Amino acid sequence: MADPDIEKVLLDEEQIRARVKELAAEACAAFEGRPILVVGVLKGAFIFLADLVREMHGPLKVAFLRAESYRDGTRPGELEVGCVGVPDLRGRDVLLVEDIVDTGRSLVGILDAVRELGALSVRTVVLLDKSDRREVDVAVDHVGFIVPDEFLVGYGLDHAEDYRNLPYVGVLARRVYEGS
Ligand code: 5GP
Ligand code: MG
């Protein structure tokens, strides 16, 4: 049964599992057997990355960087990209894993940071795409699902750090964040 704060389950576990498997195959094919450095964007992508890499075959390593644009609200703020602990990216073929792309501003900033760290190539895989809300042009190579402009939580996505553990992606009830 869905959490009482969830208005509607948008993507259930089965749908997500099937699509993640396809995305893993697509991404692997694109790298043509070259070793991949899979870089997850914390914290939202941690569950997606964990499921994705378990469906990927071939040589890969995992790293994370941190990007925060949403504070405790539901609308974006200033982007901060934290690269502490990110390994040397020089000469590496990177697969950047992000939970959701909305205006596209975060992804642009993150891609700049990854390129500055010297990556040889960067591909992007994003589980959820609010494509109607795009404000800047950004290349997403692999998209899981196109989603509507609603505030989504679960499967790694949070609201004020809650709901990340829900196994599905759901629409958060407005009463939870309205007036906050
Ligand atoms: P953008 O910079 O593309 O507008 O925003 C991307 C970031 O905003 C995502 O990485 C995610 O952290 C956050 N975000 C955008 N839409 C949602 C949403 O519906 N739910 C949650 N939990 N975060 C979102
Ligand atoms: Mg994010």
Side-chain angles (χ1 to χ4, degrees):
M1 213 181 71
D3 185 286
D5 291 345
I6 301 304
E7 198 171 281
K8 172 179 153 196
V9 174
L10 193 67
L11 302 165
D12 67 26
E13 285 184 75
E14 202 42 59
Q15 286 171 288
I16 297 171
R17 189 176 307 122
R19 188 68 187 122
V20 168
K21 197 168 180 165
E22 290 172 357
L23 289 172
E26 268 181 37
C28 281
F31 286 90
E32 300 174 319
R34 297 191 305 278
I36 307 172
L37 182 63
V38 180
V39 178
V41 181
L42 290 173
K43 301 176 195 168
F46 81 110
I47 291 180
F48 176 37
L49 182 144
D51 284 349
L52 189 74
V53 293
R54 280 179 289 180
E55 296 290 353
M56 290 174 71
H57 309 289
L60 68 79
K61 290 184 166 63
V62 171
F64 290 95
L65 56 75
R66 193 185 56 80
E68 243 174 306
S69 67
Y70 277 59
R71 300 290 178 244
D72 287 352
T74 59
R75 292 291 151 187
E78 196 89 338
L79 177 73
E80 273 172 39
V81 181
C83 297
V84 178
V86 176
D88 191 355
L89 299 186
R90 278 173 296 177
R92 305 304 302 267
D93 291 303
V94 170
L95 178 65
L96 188 72
V97 182
E98 177 57 310
D99 52 356
I100 184 164
V101 57
D102 183 19
T103 64
R105 292 185 189 281
S106 306
L107 195 55
V108 166
I110 295 163
L111 281 168
D112 284 350
V114 168
R115 292 202 180 98
E116 255 168 52
L117 291 167
L120 181 66
S121 73
V122 191
R123 298 187 68 80
T124 48
V125 56
V126 166
L127 182 70
L128 308 172
D129 183 354
K130 287 186 181 171
S131 55
D132 283 351
R133 297 219 344 126
R134 199 73 86 255
E135 290 173 9
V136 293
D137 207 18
V138 61
V140 181
D141 298 298
H142 309 282
V143 173
F145 301 92
I146 304 285
V147 292
D149 180 18
E150 312 247 33
F151 195 77
L152 306 174
V153 294
Y155 199 70
L157 288 95
D158 75 310
H159 174 260
E161 298 300 328
D162 289 322
Y163 313 107
R164 291 194 195 274
N165 60 315
L166 299 179
Y168 51 82
V169 173
V171 177
L172 186 63
R174 283 185 171 273
R175 64 172 162 74
V176 176
Y177 57 88
E178 268 178 1
S180 73

